[in-house]
Amino acid sequence: MSTRFHCSVNNKVLLWCVHLDIELISPARMDSKHLTLILIGISVLHPRMDALQKLDKPVLSGPNAALENSVVDFSCEIPKKPSGLSVHYELYVESNLGKMIGEYSSLSGELATFSQYIRKKHDGRLICKASGHNNTDIESSFSDGWDFRVIVPVGEVSIFPHRNIENIWEGEALSLQCIKTKGTYVSYEWLLNGAPVQTPYDRNNDTLNIHRVSALNTGIYTCEASNQYNETIFNSSSSVSVNVREYVSKPELSVDVVKLEDGGYKAIITCQSTKGTLPITFNLLNHTDLILTETTDTTSALFSIPIELNRYMGRMRCNASNQGNWVLSEPYDLTVESVGGAVTVTAFRHVALDFQVVSVELLCKVERGTFPNYSWFLNDSRLQDGGGSDQALLLLSVDRHRAGFYHCQASDRFDNSSSISSPKMLISKEALNTLSPSVVIVVFTSFALLNVAVIACCIYGVVLRRRYSREYPLTEQRTRITDKWEDDEDEDEDHLMLEGFEEDAVQADRLSDSAENEDQSVDETVLYEGTLSE
């Protein structure tokens, strides 16, 4: 025997499903008796095509949501049902049209009511089917879908990481899944150390994904799962600790010098990284040679090596590593030069709106020295608020209490047994607001040279004009000017320039004629006086 199911579903509408037990018979053994049985079954199952009446679309109504294990009522009716017509109603879930979950026969036109004990199977879209009660001449009709949610209060939750969260490094991906024991229509909220997670995520998704983690993602992650029915909120939460390990950053190398009791010197070299998961291993290199190594529970390490002053000790570098990450510092040419040469003090004045000096900055600088230490003196008394390697600059207010002679001393920071002093400088209100004779001389000399230059230019211009007018007659000048400007496109400007030059030339000729007349008159006067004397 073989079990067969004959079902017909069209546009999500269930027609019928029939269970047939038919013995598998070969065509050779099939007789008229078996053939008749099959034909009778087909005729029974085939729907009638000459239905006399089709029912209007029924209307399904009821609540949109209910708690699991509660009892709710759904109703179904045909608004314009013919009087006296008995209707059979059936209730289905659209996702499982093969299984009826409720039925009701309305024999006298009453409203069909389905009382349902809510299970998870009721979740989805419900459909009501209306057909004639024991009347195959009436064609069935179906209602529109009715969305219904089955609310299962959220149960206990736990966080499942998709990788080892105790050994996750910055730049890697982090995925946390909030797994619940039960619950439907649950929303999720993720917290980091009690504050909402800044990474965008889908509240309807139970998984939090962070594609590239950093140290900011370290902390306690909490998943809060909740759902709601009417005014009642059900929630549950779980937490897990995530530790994001940081790769060590590029170290910086700094040097200090210490004088030993035997008179020698040693350099204290510090390798400092700003971040990195501990422990960190630091190595000190001279060029490519490994000198010292140290593994610490801090982000820095100290190395001590003997040195000689004023001598090149090599190119130092420091590398740092943790868990396979390896970074190298910038090179440092180790040469410690002792303080020497001249010490100078430079004053920078600060002037108020009335052009009076109100404050002054004194900068002390030594000619050479790798680690200079500065001390300031007023009238040969050391100032308590001035001195140290970072006190090369001294800020003073110009008043009566600060007036006097200032100078500074420079010495080695690691050895103050000897020092070099700068020349003394007078700092007072009168001295700072008075121009020095050298400044006055420079200003007046510059002004005088400027006047001489202007006068010389004027005289040269006059002499050049007179010489030009004598060397070239008026007609030749006119011809030269005309030839010079004949290619100019602006004819009006040419005409004006030519007229101006002609007037100057005429005036020059007149001056020349008057000069010759004066010479002639002088000669005549001399001759006349000579005649009288004879």
Side-chain angles (χ1 to χ4, degrees), residues 55 85-89 104-107 130-136 138:
L55 295 177
L85 180 64
S86 298
V87 180
H88 183 72
Y89 296 94
Y104 187 91
S105 295
S106 176
L107 303 179
S131 60
H133 182 66
N134 295 328
N135 189 350
T136 58
I138 299 177

Side-chain angles (χ1 to χ4, degrees), residues 251-266:
E252 293 184 358
L253 192 148
S254 60
V255 178
D256 199 3
V257 179
V258 176
K259 185 177 182 179
L260 303 176
E261 295 181 355
D262 58 1
Y265 300 92
K266 69 176 181 179

Side-chain angles (χ1 to χ4, degrees), residues 418-490:
S418 61
S419 61
I420 306 174
S421 297
S422 69
K424 295 182 179 180
M425 177 180 292
L426 176 61
I427 301 297
S428 66
K429 188 174 183 180
E430 294 76 12
L432 294 174
N433 290 286
T434 302
L435 293 177
S436 63
S438 59
V439 175
V440 175
I441 292 173
V442 170
V443 171
F444 279 99
T445 301
S446 301
F447 182 73
L449 292 176
L450 180 61
N451 289 335
V452 170
V454 172
I455 294 173
C457 290
C458 293
I459 295 174
Y460 179 76
V462 173
V463 173
L464 182 63
R465 174 171 289 186
R466 294 192 63 181
R467 181 181 299 175
Y468 186 81
S469 62
R470 288 183 178 182
E471 291 180 357
Y472 301 99
L474 180 60
T475 56
E476 185 177 352
Q477 294 175 17
R478 183 182 301 170
T479 302
R480 292 169 63 89
I481 295 300
T482 303
D483 295 340
K484 181 179 180 181
W485 293 96
E486 63 182 359
D487 296 332
D488 200 330
E489 296 180 357
D490 194 349

